[in-house]
Amino acid sequence: MAQSFLMEVCVDSVESAVNAERGGAGRLELCSSLLEGGLTPSLGLLQVIKQYIKIPVYVMVRPRGGDFLYSDQEVEVMRKDIELMKSHGADGLVLGALTEDGRVDSELCMELMAAARPLPVTFHRAFDMVHDPAVALEALISLGFQRVLTSGCDSSALEGLPLIKRLTDQAKGRIIVMPGGGVTERNLQRILEGSGAQEFHCSARSSRDSAMKFRNTCVMMGAAFSAPEYGLKVADISKVRTLNAIAKNTL
C-alpha cells in the first residue's frame, strides 16, 4: 500500500499560508522572519490566518534569532507567548532550548511544555545544534515532545540524511522525526526514501519582486546581509503541489 506523507510548510504571511493549504500542505508552521530561521509571529498574523485556514497551525515560540540559550527575561516572554498563542487558536507549538554545553535544557523545556499543555509541541532545529543527537532524542521523548524537526545536524536534510535515518530508527515510533532544511522538489524523494520519515518540512518559496514603483535604494531597513528591501518570498502554490505529488508517488 502506498504510504502517505504529511507535508508541513513554514509560512510567515497570510498569502503563504493560503498557498500552502491550497497546494496540499497538511500543517503550517507559523513564524515571522523566516530569514532568521523563524521567530515568534504576531498574534494578529495568527488570528487572521486562523480565519482563512482549516489545516492545523503550529506556532513558533522563539523570541530572537541566534542561539537557543535563553535568559530569565526571555523565558518570561516565551511563557507569555505560549499562553497568548494558546488562547488565540494555535493548534500546536514549536519551541526548543539548549544548555550552554549543547544539551537539551530539560528543566526549561519541562516548564514550557507544562505551559503549552494540552497542545502538541514540536522541538525545532535547536536540535541541530546539540552535542549528542542520540542522547538529545531520548531527552525529547522523556519530556513528551510529539516531534522533532531536524536537518540531521548538518547544513541541510540531504547532507544530514544518514543521521536522520539513525534517529528515525532509534525513535521506534516514540517521537516523530521530521526532516527539514533545504527540502526541495529535487531532493525530497531521496530524503523520504532514505530517512523512513512519515512527515517532512519545507518552505516551498519563490522570490517575487516588490510592487513598489518608487524606490529609495540608498536605505536598508536591517543589516547589510538581510533581505532585499524590494523583494518578497512567498510560498509558491505550484512548488507546494509538486512537493505533495512527489510525496504521494514515493513508496
Side-chain angles (χ1 to χ4, degrees), residues 11-231:
V11 300
D12 59 6
S13 67
V14 182
E15 184 185 359
S16 287
V18 169
N19 286 351
E21 185 177 59
R22 281 194 189 147
R27 181 170 61 238
L28 301 181
E29 180 197 78
L30 180 62
C31 312
S32 66
S33 306
L34 277 174
L35 275 165
E36 277 199 86
L39 304 178
T40 309
S42 77
L43 271 180
L45 184 59
L46 172 62
Q47 288 184 298
V48 174
I49 280 178
K50 287 296 291 185
Q51 289 170 0
Y52 281 84
I53 296 294
K54 293 192 172 56
I55 57 174
V57 178
Y58 279 40
V59 177
M60 174 68 74
V61 177
R62 185 180 174 217
R64 57 162 173 79
D67 66 31
F68 302 100
L69 183 64
Y70 295 115
S71 70
D72 290 349
Q73 287 102 327
E74 285 170 332
V75 171
E76 271 183 68
V77 172
M78 291 167 87
R79 288 189 59 114
K80 188 63 77 180
D81 280 333
I82 288 169
E83 286 166 31
L84 288 167
M85 298 303 169
K86 246 172 83 170
S87 62
H88 288 86
D91 299 292
L93 296 164
V94 183
L95 54 87
L98 303 180
T99 62
E100 60 184 12
D101 54 355
R103 287 172 303 125
V104 171
D105 189 337
S106 291
E107 197 180 339
L108 172 50
C109 285
M110 201 178 292
E111 186 186 324
L112 297 176
M113 291 289 278
R117 269 196 283 275
L119 294 185
V121 185
T122 299
F123 193 91
H124 57 44
R125 285 188 59 198
F127 187 85
D128 293 324
M129 304 299 190
V130 299
H131 175 62
D132 186 330
V135 170
L137 189 71
E138 293 303 324
L140 298 187
I141 292 165
S142 303
L143 286 160
F145 282 91
Q146 195 183 46
R147 68 176 55 71
V148 56
L149 171 63
T150 180
S151 63
C153 304
D154 215 321
S155 54
S156 77
L158 191 60
E159 270 79 27
L161 199 50
L163 178 59
I164 295 171
K165 172 85 172 90
R166 286 205 300 279
L167 292 166
T168 305
D169 293 344
Q170 178 188 339
K172 292 188 176 69
R174 295 174 296 161
I175 189 172
I176 296 162
V177 178
M178 178 169 62
V183 174
T184 66
E185 49 265 51
R186 286 186 300 284
N187 61 28
L188 177 60
Q189 189 168 356
R190 274 159 74 193
I191 290 167
L192 291 178
E193 288 175 352
S195 65
Q198 309 290 307
E199 305 186 354
F200 66 97
H201 174 99
C202 58
S203 69
R205 295 193 301 167
S206 56
S207 297
R208 190 174 71 209
D209 194 39
S210 161
M212 286 296 294
K213 290 189 168 65
F214 171 78
R215 301 188 177 198
N216 179 351
T217 51
C218 305
V219 179
M220 282 195 294
M221 293 295 153
F225 63 80
S226 68
E229 253 58 51
Y230 294 102

